[in-house]
Short mmCIF file of all heavy atoms in Angstrom, two decimals:
data_model
loop_
_atom_site.label_atom_id
_atom_site.label_comp_id
_atom_site.label_asym_id
_atom_site.label_seq_id
_atom_site.Cartn_x
_atom_site.Cartn_y
_atom_site.Cartn_z
N THR A 1 22.54 4.93 -0.45
CA THR A 1 22.58 3.93 -1.53
C THR A 1 24.04 3.62 -1.84
O THR A 1 24.88 4.53 -1.92
CB THR A 1 21.85 4.42 -2.79
OG1 THR A 1 22.47 5.59 -3.30
CG2 THR A 1 20.39 4.71 -2.48
N MET A 2 24.34 2.34 -2.01
CA MET A 2 25.73 1.89 -2.06
C MET A 2 25.84 0.64 -2.90
O MET A 2 24.97 -0.23 -2.87
CB MET A 2 26.19 1.62 -0.62
CG MET A 2 27.68 1.58 -0.39
SD MET A 2 28.02 1.54 1.39
CE MET A 2 29.80 1.77 1.35
N GLY A 3 26.89 0.54 -3.68
CA GLY A 3 27.14 -0.65 -4.47
C GLY A 3 27.44 -1.85 -3.59
O GLY A 3 27.90 -1.71 -2.45
N ARG A 4 27.19 -3.03 -4.12
CA ARG A 4 27.34 -4.25 -3.33
C ARG A 4 28.77 -4.45 -2.83
O ARG A 4 28.99 -4.82 -1.67
CB ARG A 4 26.92 -5.45 -4.17
CG ARG A 4 25.43 -5.48 -4.51
CD ARG A 4 25.07 -6.72 -5.30
NE ARG A 4 23.62 -6.81 -5.52
CZ ARG A 4 23.02 -7.90 -5.98
NH1 ARG A 4 23.74 -8.97 -6.30
NH2 ARG A 4 21.70 -7.91 -6.15
N GLU A 5 29.75 -4.19 -3.70
CA GLU A 5 31.14 -4.43 -3.32
C GLU A 5 31.58 -3.48 -2.21
O GLU A 5 32.19 -3.90 -1.21
CB GLU A 5 32.05 -4.26 -4.55
CG GLU A 5 33.49 -4.62 -4.32
CD GLU A 5 34.32 -4.54 -5.60
OE1 GLU A 5 33.86 -5.05 -6.64
OE2 GLU A 5 35.44 -3.98 -5.55
N SER A 6 31.24 -2.20 -2.34
CA SER A 6 31.62 -1.23 -1.31
C SER A 6 30.87 -1.49 0.00
O SER A 6 31.42 -1.34 1.09
CB SER A 6 31.33 0.19 -1.80
OG SER A 6 32.12 0.51 -2.92
N ARG A 7 29.60 -1.89 -0.12
CA ARG A 7 28.83 -2.17 1.10
C ARG A 7 29.42 -3.37 1.84
O ARG A 7 29.49 -3.37 3.08
CB ARG A 7 27.37 -2.43 0.73
CG ARG A 7 26.48 -2.70 1.93
CD ARG A 7 25.02 -2.80 1.55
NE ARG A 7 24.18 -3.14 2.68
CZ ARG A 7 22.86 -3.22 2.64
NH1 ARG A 7 22.22 -2.95 1.51
NH2 ARG A 7 22.16 -3.54 3.72
N ALA A 8 29.83 -4.39 1.10
CA ALA A 8 30.43 -5.56 1.75
C ALA A 8 31.70 -5.16 2.50
O ALA A 8 31.95 -5.63 3.62
CB ALA A 8 30.73 -6.64 0.72
N ALA A 9 32.51 -4.29 1.89
CA ALA A 9 33.72 -3.83 2.56
C ALA A 9 33.38 -3.02 3.81
O ALA A 9 34.04 -3.15 4.86
CB ALA A 9 34.55 -2.98 1.59
N ALA A 10 32.34 -2.18 3.73
CA ALA A 10 31.93 -1.39 4.89
C ALA A 10 31.38 -2.30 6.00
O ALA A 10 31.59 -2.04 7.19
CB ALA A 10 30.87 -0.37 4.47
N GLN A 11 30.69 -3.35 5.60
CA GLN A 11 30.19 -4.29 6.60
C GLN A 11 31.34 -4.98 7.32
O GLN A 11 31.31 -5.16 8.55
CB GLN A 11 29.29 -5.33 5.93
CG GLN A 11 27.91 -4.80 5.58
CD GLN A 11 27.06 -5.81 4.83
OE1 GLN A 11 27.56 -6.50 3.94
NE2 GLN A 11 25.79 -5.88 5.17
N SER A 12 32.37 -5.35 6.56
CA SER A 12 33.50 -6.06 7.18
C SER A 12 34.24 -5.17 8.17
O SER A 12 34.88 -5.68 9.10
CB SER A 12 34.45 -6.56 6.09
OG SER A 12 35.13 -5.49 5.46
N GLU A 13 34.17 -3.86 8.01
CA GLU A 13 34.81 -2.94 8.95
C GLU A 13 33.89 -2.55 10.10
O GLU A 13 34.28 -1.77 10.97
CB GLU A 13 35.26 -1.67 8.22
CG GLU A 13 36.39 -1.89 7.22
CD GLU A 13 36.94 -0.60 6.65
OE1 GLU A 13 36.66 0.48 7.22
OE2 GLU A 13 37.65 -0.66 5.63
N GLY A 14 32.67 -3.05 10.09
CA GLY A 14 31.72 -2.72 11.16
C GLY A 14 31.02 -1.39 10.97
O GLY A 14 30.28 -0.94 11.86
N LEU A 15 31.23 -0.75 9.82
CA LEU A 15 30.66 0.59 9.61
C LEU A 15 29.15 0.55 9.39
O LEU A 15 28.42 1.43 9.84
CB LEU A 15 31.35 1.24 8.41
CG LEU A 15 32.86 1.44 8.52
CD1 LEU A 15 33.43 1.90 7.18
CD2 LEU A 15 33.18 2.46 9.62
N VAL A 16 28.70 -0.49 8.68
CA VAL A 16 27.27 -0.61 8.42
C VAL A 16 26.51 -0.80 9.72
O VAL A 16 25.50 -0.12 9.98
CB VAL A 16 26.97 -1.75 7.43
CG1 VAL A 16 25.48 -2.01 7.32
CG2 VAL A 16 27.56 -1.42 6.06
N ALA A 17 27.00 -1.69 10.58
CA ALA A 17 26.34 -1.93 11.86
C ALA A 17 26.35 -0.66 12.72
O ALA A 17 25.36 -0.33 13.38
CB ALA A 17 27.03 -3.08 12.59
N GLN A 18 27.47 0.05 12.71
CA GLN A 18 27.56 1.29 13.51
C GLN A 18 26.54 2.32 13.04
O GLN A 18 25.82 2.91 13.85
CB GLN A 18 28.97 1.87 13.41
CG GLN A 18 29.15 3.18 14.17
CD GLN A 18 30.48 3.84 13.89
OE1 GLN A 18 31.45 3.15 13.53
NE2 GLN A 18 30.55 5.15 14.04
N LEU A 19 26.45 2.53 11.73
CA LEU A 19 25.52 3.52 11.21
C LEU A 19 24.07 3.07 11.35
O LEU A 19 23.18 3.89 11.61
CB LEU A 19 25.86 3.84 9.76
CG LEU A 19 27.09 4.74 9.59
CD1 LEU A 19 27.57 4.75 8.15
CD2 LEU A 19 26.78 6.17 10.05
N GLU A 20 23.82 1.78 11.17
CA GLU A 20 22.46 1.28 11.40
C GLU A 20 22.05 1.50 12.84
O GLU A 20 20.87 1.79 13.13
CB GLU A 20 22.38 -0.20 11.03
CG GLU A 20 22.40 -0.43 9.51
CD GLU A 20 22.35 -1.89 9.12
OE1 GLU A 20 22.73 -2.75 9.96
OE2 GLU A 20 21.96 -2.20 7.98
N GLY A 21 23.01 1.42 13.75
CA GLY A 21 22.73 1.72 15.16
C GLY A 21 22.34 3.16 15.39
O GLY A 21 21.65 3.48 16.37
N ALA A 22 22.79 4.04 14.48
CA ALA A 22 22.42 5.46 14.57
C ALA A 22 21.13 5.76 13.81
O ALA A 22 20.70 6.92 13.75
CB ALA A 22 23.55 6.32 14.01
N GLY A 23 20.52 4.70 13.25
CA GLY A 23 19.25 4.88 12.54
C GLY A 23 19.39 5.04 11.04
O GLY A 23 18.41 5.35 10.36
N VAL A 24 20.59 4.84 10.51
CA VAL A 24 20.82 4.99 9.07
C VAL A 24 20.42 3.69 8.36
O VAL A 24 20.67 2.59 8.86
CB VAL A 24 22.31 5.32 8.79
CG1 VAL A 24 22.57 5.38 7.29
CG2 VAL A 24 22.70 6.63 9.46
#
């Protein structure tokens, strides 16, 4: 669970896509 602002920053760094690829 993550706030919108922090999640947007993580998405811009490719971290969300990377972790979603691991099943997160």
Side-chain angles (χ1 to χ4, degrees):
T1 61
M2 199 170 189
R4 294 182 175 192
E5 186 175 315
S6 296
R7 181 174 177 176
Q11 283 176 318
S12 70
E13 293 188 15
L15 300 171
V16 171
Q18 178 189 334
L19 284 166
E20 287 178 337
V24 176

